[in-house]
Amino acid sequence: MTGSTTTPRERYRQQVRTEVKEKARQQIAGSGASALSLNAIAKQMGMSGPALYRYFANRDELITELVTDAYRSLADTFAAVSADGTGPERLTALATALRHWAVADPHRYFLIYGTPVPGYHAPDDVTAIASEMMSVLLDAATAAIGTGAGAGSGARALDAHLADHREWADGHPDAPPAALRTALAFWTRLHGALSLELAGHFTGMGLDTALLFAAEVDTLVSPPTPTDPPTMTK
C-alpha cells in the first residue's frame, strides 16, 4: 500500500482553503457575492487578514474558486445524464438535472447565472467548463431536431443568423443551425424560468413551479402543432 503523496503542510493548506470557501458560500448566501470580504472571513476563522491572504491572494481568486467549483459541479451533473434515448428524452433529462441542481443550492446557481460581480471577470478555464456543458446540450439538441413542428419565420431567420454566428458552439462545427437554435432556446428559456423561481417571483401566485418548469420543457422538446381553435359552446 502506498501512502499519501501530500505533506502535512499541504493537507493543512487544503483544509484551510476548503474552510475559507465554505465561509465564503455562507457569506454569499447572506449578503451576495458582491459583498464578499476576505477580512470578514478571516475574523470568523480567528485569523488575521494577512494570514488569510496566504491561502487566497485576493477576493477575485476566491470567487474564481467558487465559480469554478459551481461550474464543475453542474458540468459533472450534465455528464452523468445518460446519452441513451432519443434527442427529446435526453433534453428532458438534462432539463430535469439542471433544475434539481439549481433548487438544491440557489446561491450556487446565482453565483454563475445571477447578476455579475462588479469588477470580476472569470478566467478562460472557467469558460472552458461552460463549453463542456454546451457540448453535451448540443449533442442532445442535434439528435432532437426534426422531431417537432416546422419552424416559423422567426425561427428560420434565427437559423440563417446562426449559420454565420456559431463561434460559441465550439466543438460542433457541423451542427445544423436548427440544433444551435434548439440548444439556445433550451438554455435561455429554462434559465429564465429557474431564475424567476429561485428569486421568488412566483411566490404568492399559488403555482406548482415544478409543473410549470416541466411544461416549459415539454414545449421545448415537442413544440405544439397548430390546431383548430376551440369551439365555443353555449
Side-chain angles (χ1 to χ4, degrees):
M1 179 183 296
T2 59
S4 172
T5 59
T6 60
T7 66
R9 176 175 292 183
E10 289 170 336
R11 290 194 295 273
Y12 176 73
R13 178 178 177 80
Q14 186 55 48
Q15 179 182 338
V16 172
R17 284 172 61 87
T18 298
E19 185 176 354
V20 170
K21 289 196 289 184
E22 180 56 35
K23 296 294 186 185
R25 292 187 188 97
Q26 294 172 6
Q27 195 178 102
I28 289 172
S31 306
S34 61
L36 187 63
S37 167
L38 265 69
N39 286 330
I41 293 172
K43 185 176 180 180
Q44 279 186 295
M45 296 176 63
M47 302 172 65
S48 67
L52 188 59
Y53 281 94
R54 292 202 297 266
Y55 298 93
F56 289 95
N58 50 47
R59 183 206 66 161
D60 283 5
E61 182 181 327
L62 176 55
I63 291 176
T64 293
E65 285 269 346
L66 298 174
V67 168
T68 300
D69 287 350
Y71 270 121
R72 182 76 270 158
S73 175
L74 183 54
D76 290 346
T77 297
F78 266 35
V81 173
S82 174
D84 297 333
T86 65
E89 289 170 344
R90 289 159 62 186
L91 285 172
T92 299
L94 288 170
T96 301
L98 171 63
R99 184 173 186 275
H100 286 169
W101 182 89
V103 171
D105 191 340
H107 297 292
R108 177 179 57 181
Y109 174 86
F110 282 123
L111 182 63
I112 56 177
Y113 294 116
T115 303
V117 179
Y120 173 76
H121 300 284
D124 291 342
D125 55 348
V126 171
T127 304
I129 300 174
S131 295
E132 287 181 35
M133 291 185 285
M134 185 56 72
S135 181
V136 173
L137 177 55
L138 278 165
D139 285 340
T142 300
I145 60 172
T147 59
S153 60
R156 291 194 300 271
L158 179 57
D159 285 353
H161 173 76
L162 291 173
D164 297 319
H165 296 81
R166 54 191 306 136
E167 295 84 358
W168 57 273
D170 184 37
H172 287 73
D174 300 320
L180 303 182
R181 169 168 47 84
T182 297
L184 282 175
F186 179 101
W187 209 236
T188 57
R189 289 171 61 179
L190 296 189
H191 278 302
L194 277 173
S195 295
L196 288 170
E197 175 185 357
L198 298 179
H201 292 292
F202 294 135
T203 301
M205 295 177 68
L207 295 175
D208 185 324
T209 50
L211 289 179
L212 179 65
F213 187 85
E216 188 71 359
V217 174
D218 284 347
T219 301
L220 283 168
V221 301
S222 299
T225 56
T227 59
D228 294 330
T231 301
M232 300 296 292
T233 58
K234 295 181 180 181

